[in-house]
Amino acid sequence: WRTWSWLAGLFALLAVIALHVVVHRHGGWQILGPHFYYDVVRLARRGRSTLFRIAYILAMLIGLFFVYEDMPGTTTWSQNDFARVSDRFSFMLFLVQNLAIVVLTPAYLGSAIAEEKERRTLELLFTTQLSDTEIILGKLTSRIIHLAGFVLAGFPVLCLIQFWGGIDMLLILGNLANTMLNI
């Protein structure tokens, strides 16, 4: 797999270029509209996403505790024992991460328009010069950015694995790609 890793990098670069070309043909990044920036700032100031991130990190640390406690209680560990702990913890982390995304994504993205309707600001948005596409894509993109931040909050805990024997970076990148596709 390592000999073909450059192909994966090239594919990712081509995907970013293709995304930029498609967005540029449809009016550039202005297609998100000014409501996108407002919604990103409002979500960050609300504080609920911070609480979710803290709960997510605590769930990963609790999982690390259970993986560590499940290992045999010897006073000296070999390199294989550390590698076994890091391997089991990484798969537990991937499970918690993907479960959190599968549970949070529908609730988080589905409530975007409902919140506007509940606060009675949706009618005000329709009276502006924003198109329906700008409103929907702005809200969708801002929520996806916050979910991506939720995933990135787990990387410091994932860095702890590197002290115990590490984990293959290709596996981490594959899980990150899987998680982003789940979002």
Side-chain angles (χ1 to χ4, degrees):
W1 288 102
R2 293 187 191 278
T3 58
W4 293 98
S5 62
W6 64 271
L7 187 62
L10 181 66
F11 178 72
L13 179 65
L14 289 176
V16 168
I17 291 172
L19 174 69
H20 185 67
V21 167
V22 168
V23 168
H24 183 67
R25 284 189 177 196
H26 292 287
W29 291 105
Q30 289 85 16
I31 196 168
L32 298 177
H35 188 64
F36 160 72
Y37 175 75
Y38 166 76
D39 204 37
V40 167
V41 171
R42 185 183 61 82
L43 286 172
R45 289 181 180 167
R46 193 166 58 179
R48 191 180 334 166
S49 61
T50 305
L51 292 175
F52 282 143
R53 288 181 188 138
I54 290 171
Y56 170 63
I57 291 171
L58 286 176
M60 284 193 290
L61 289 174
I62 289 169
L64 175 62
F65 174 75
F66 283 125
V67 166
Y68 182 77
E69 283 294 317
D70 196 35
M71 291 302 293
T74 60
T75 57
T76 59
W77 281 20
S78 68
Q79 286 182 337
N80 289 339
D81 292 332
F82 283 115
R84 195 173 305 118
V85 167
S86 67
D87 186 48
R88 292 182 64 202
F89 176 67
S90 64
F91 284 111
M92 187 280 313
L93 183 133
F94 296 158
L95 176 72
V96 168
Q97 184 178 23
N98 287 318
L99 261 162
I101 291 301
V102 166
V103 168
L104 286 177
T105 300
Y108 203 60
L109 294 178
S111 68
I113 300 298
E115 285 178 3
E116 294 288 339
K117 207 172 194 181
E118 185 177 290
R119 291 183 322 174
R120 296 192 178 272
T121 55
L122 187 61
E123 295 88 9
L124 295 174
L125 281 175
F126 286 143
T127 61
T128 63
Q129 294 179 354
L130 295 173
S131 68
D132 296 341
T133 306
E134 289 175 338
I135 294 170
I136 297 296
L137 286 180
K139 294 201 77 56
L140 175 71
T141 309
S142 66
R143 299 292 173 119
I144 286 176
I145 285 174
H146 274 273
L147 282 172
F150 182 77
V151 170
L152 291 176
F155 279 142
V157 178
L158 190 62
C159 289
L160 290 174
I161 295 175
Q162 300 304 325
F163 292 119
W164 289 326
I167 186 171
D168 189 22
M169 284 297 158
L170 194 57
L171 183 65
I172 292 174
L173 289 175
N175 180 62
L176 181 64
N178 178 44
T179 305
M180 289 302 165
L181 287 174
N182 282 341
I183 290 176

